Amino acid sequence: MSAETPGQSTGTFTRLRLRFRDWRGNRPFWAGLFTLLGGLPIAYFPYATLKLGTMSLTMATTAGAGSLIIGVLLVTLGLTMWFQQATRVFAGIAAILLALVSLVVSNIGGFIIGFLLALLGGALALSWAPGNPAPQGAAPQNLPPAPTQDGAGPAPGPYPHAGEQGPSYTLHKQADGGASQPVQSDEANGVHRVG
C-alpha cells in the first residue's frame, strides 16, 4: 500500500456519500424506506416459527398468502417511491390502504410494527414535494455570508435572499425615558418589531 491510498479512499467515500445525498434529496427517500420496511414484518410473521426449547410456536394464519401479497406489494411500493417519483401520490395512498388491510389479514398488521411503518411511509409519500432547482450560477444557500472588507463578519440578524431588500433598523426612545430599543421595520410587508 502506498501513502496515498487513504486519501484516495476518503475522496471516493466522500464522492459516493455526496452522490447518495443528491439522489436521496430528489425523491421521497424516507417514505420509500418506511414503506419497504413496513412490508417485511407483514410478510414474515405469518410464516415465522419460533422455537422455545423443544416446543415450536407457529403464527401461521389461514390468510398467510394474503399477508405475503400485502408485504410484497408494500416492498414494491417502497421501491416505486424511490425510482418513480411521479407516482408518489398513488404509491402513498396504496401503502396506506394496504397498511389498513393488513390489520385484518396479517396478524394485526405484523404485530402493529408493519402497520405503523407502512402508514408512516404512505403519509410521508403524500406530503413530499419536489424542491425547486437552484438557478444557474447561484451560490449554495447553506453557506454563511462572506465577511466584510475590514475582515469582520456580517452584522447578526436576518439576511435577505439575493435581490431582496433587507429590513431596516431604527432606534426609538421610550415615552417614559427608558433605554432606546431597536425597531425592525419591513416597509414592504408593513411589519414593525420592537426588540
Side-chain angles (χ1 to χ4, degrees):
M1 285 197 148
S2 68
E4 295 181 11
T5 304
Q8 290 172 349
S9 64
T10 302
T12 303
F13 174 74
T14 303
R15 191 170 358 119
L16 291 174
R17 184 181 58 83
L18 292 174
R19 282 180 54 195
F20 175 70
R21 187 175 72 178
D22 289 340
W23 178 84
R24 187 187 69 200
N26 294 328
R27 62 200 73 244
F29 176 77
W30 295 108
L33 182 66
F34 285 130
T35 305
L36 190 141
L37 291 177
L40 296 178
I42 291 173
Y44 173 74
F45 285 133
Y47 295 99
T49 302
L50 299 174
K51 295 265 186 191
L52 299 173
T54 58
M55 181 176 64
S56 65
L57 178 66
T58 305
M59 293 177 276
T61 62
T62 56
S67 299
L68 181 64
I69 290 171
I70 290 173
V72 168
L73 284 175
L74 284 171
V75 169
T76 304
L77 288 171
L79 293 172
T80 301
M81 290 175 196
W82 283 351
F83 297 107
Q84 297 292 327
Q85 301 88 303
T87 61
R88 68 176 172 80
V89 174
F90 167 76
I93 292 172
I96 290 172
L97 291 176
L98 285 171
L100 292 172
V101 169
S102 73
L103 284 173
V104 179
V105 173
S106 174
N107 292 334
I108 314 170
F111 296 114
I112 305 292
I113 298 168
F115 164 72
L116 290 176
L117 287 172
L119 198 66
L120 180 63
L124 286 174
L126 290 175
S127 65
W128 184 82
N132 296 331
Q136 291 291 355
Q141 293 183 359
N142 57 355
L143 295 178
T148 58
Q149 290 181 350
D150 62 355
Y159 298 103
H161 295 288
E164 294 180 3
Q165 182 180 359
S168 61
Y169 292 91
T170 57
L171 290 177
H172 290 283
K173 287 208 177 243
Q174 292 183 351
D176 61 354
S180 300
Q181 289 187 352
V183 176
Q184 177 184 359
S185 62
D186 190 358
E187 301 297 333
N189 295 332
V191 175
H192 301 284
R193 288 186 228 144
V194 176

